[in-house]
Amino acid sequence: MLSCTPDTTDRRRESWLSHNKGMSEYLDAAVEIAREAGEILLSHRGVRFELKGEFDLVTAADHASEKLVVERLHTRFPDHGIVAEEGGAAEMRSEYRWFVDPLDGTTNFAHDFPMWNVTLGLARRGTVIAGVVFDPLHNELFTAERGSGAYLNGERIHVAAVETLEDALVATGFPSRRRHKNVNVHFYYQLAMITHGVRRAGSAALDLAYTACGRLDAFWEFGLNPWDMAAGTLLVEEAGGQVSGMRGEPLDLHGPYLLATNQRIHAESLALFDEIFHGHYRYPIPEMPAVREGAETGLSHV
């Protein structure tokens, strides 16, 4: 597996230039727009935020980034449809459709937690053909074209070689709203007990990008939107991984859930998920024991 950490070697620069020469018009435009949007987000750090719903946040950065992305896409590809988070699913009748999240990880951004990005994915007749995930803070640009591989800052990336869930590091996410109705805590606990650990960083696009480049071995989540996963799922596939629904269905950008893995642990993950869906837990969730009043160090004093 190649390192996910960019370097400045001559080989890396040559790889970057070579890859750029082969970029399609669409991916080239997406990279340019994502970088420009990233600069806008960086300039808005520290700007106040407001509530969008019961828990969702929206910042001035969301609006500024989306305005730029949508305007640039309309100018470059006036016949393409655009589905963007802040602007809703205003789709055109076009065989090409862009899925845009101008700021994936809004809550992280608002709290200055360094896990947020710009993501653009382009689908043709429902199949994602190009995708970009750009992390401006760390200057990491993940790109993919269908059939041409996945790249981080110009170097080809591949999924990790982990063979079992027991040796895997995995990630998931939870919704901002209606968390009390989300069943993912059951899956979270089982995976936390079986794997090396479960990470919950709050940015689905970066979780998928990290799965593509081997920092993570799998990612799953309920209730994602198409713009959350369009680019990231293509990255995983082009890096040698596998994506599907959590019951093994073919990937559906409008589906209720997503599983993305390094392919080697996909079948094992689906088998575990099937158990949980049917209420069979390998590790029962423990009850909270009573803690004596006044105990200073919590559970060690029961």
Side-chain angles (χ1 to χ4, degrees):
M1 181 188 72
L2 292 174
S3 169
C4 283
T5 304
D7 60 37
T8 57
T9 63
D10 290 339
R11 180 179 60 82
R12 176 65 62 83
R13 286 195 294 271
E14 290 172 2
S15 175
W16 172 245
L17 291 172
S18 175
H19 177 52
N20 267 282
K21 288 178 182 178
M23 276 187 178
S24 72
E25 176 188 8
Y26 304 131
L27 187 59
D28 192 18
V31 166
E32 179 183 323
I33 294 168
R35 285 194 177 278
E36 194 173 353
E39 289 299 317
I40 285 182
L41 295 178
L42 289 173
S43 71
H44 278 76
R45 293 179 69 192
V47 176
R48 70 175 181 84
F49 60 85
E50 61 189 40
L51 292 177
K52 182 167 59 177
E54 185 179 1
F55 294 105
D56 283 343
L57 303 175
V58 62
T59 71
D62 284 283
H63 297 307
S65 178
E66 179 167 309
K67 182 174 184 293
L68 179 139
V69 172
V70 171
E71 286 179 354
R72 296 290 188 270
L73 288 175
H74 275 316
T75 299
R76 298 283 287 268
F77 311 110
D79 296 329
H80 288 195
I82 301 174
V83 185
E85 181 178 21
E86 297 307 320
E91 304 181 25
M92 297 172 60
R93 294 182 180 275
S94 171
E95 64 175 323
Y96 290 96
R97 185 169 299 153
W98 290 91
F99 294 99
V100 175
D101 195 338
L103 176 51
D104 173 49
T106 306
T107 302
N108 289 345
F109 182 89
H111 291 276
D112 205 24
F113 185 79
M115 286 287 289
W116 46 268
N117 66 91
V118 181
T119 180
L120 294 85
L122 176 63
R124 183 185 183 194
R125 298 173 183 170
T127 300
V128 181
I129 60 172
V132 171
V133 175
F134 179 49
D135 174 356
L137 270 179
H138 302 100
N139 194 30
E140 291 193 331
L141 177 70
F142 297 87
T143 59
E145 285 182 298
R146 186 160 297 280
S148 298
Y151 294 79
L152 167 56
N153 288 356
E155 183 172 356
R156 186 76 176 261
I157 55 175
H158 302 279
V159 294
V162 166
E163 297 284 350
T164 66
L165 274 176
E166 185 180 15
D167 295 324
L169 180 66
V170 301
T172 190
F174 290 86
S176 298
R177 292 178 290 179
R178 296 185 295 276
R179 293 174 188 161
H180 61 291
K181 296 182 179 181
N182 191 271
V183 300
N184 199 25
V185 66
H186 300 277
F187 294 80
Y188 182 98
Y189 184 76
Q190 297 306 309
L191 270 295
M193 295 298 295
I194 292 170
T195 64
H196 279 182
V198 180
R199 301 293 180 257
R200 196 282 196 194
S203 171
L206 283 178
D207 285 331
L208 288 164
Y210 286 8
T211 302
C213 76
R215 292 173 183 168
L216 295 168
D217 303 298
F219 168 74
W220 85 94
E221 189 167 344
F222 290 84
L224 290 173
N225 294 300
W227 50 79
D228 296 319
M229 54 179 166
T233 51
L234 180 61
L235 283 166
V236 172
E237 290 180 320
E238 288 298 314
Q242 185 173 355
V243 296
S244 74
M246 289 175 62
R247 296 181 185 270
E249 313 95 322
L251 172 67
D252 180 359
L253 293 181
H254 300 275
Y257 39 48
L258 168 72
L259 171 64
T261 74
N262 69 347
Q263 191 175 78
R264 294 172 175 85
I265 62 172
H266 206 85
E268 184 184 2
S269 300
L270 289 174
L272 175 64
F273 288 170
D274 185 64
E275 294 177 17
I276 302 169
F277 276 125
H278 285 90
H280 304 305
Y281 296 165
R282 299 182 191 181
Y283 296 92
I285 298 178
E287 295 183 3
M288 184 71 177
V291 180
R292 290 206 313 269
E293 184 176 354
E296 295 181 358
T297 55
L299 298 181
S300 63
H301 287 266
V302 296

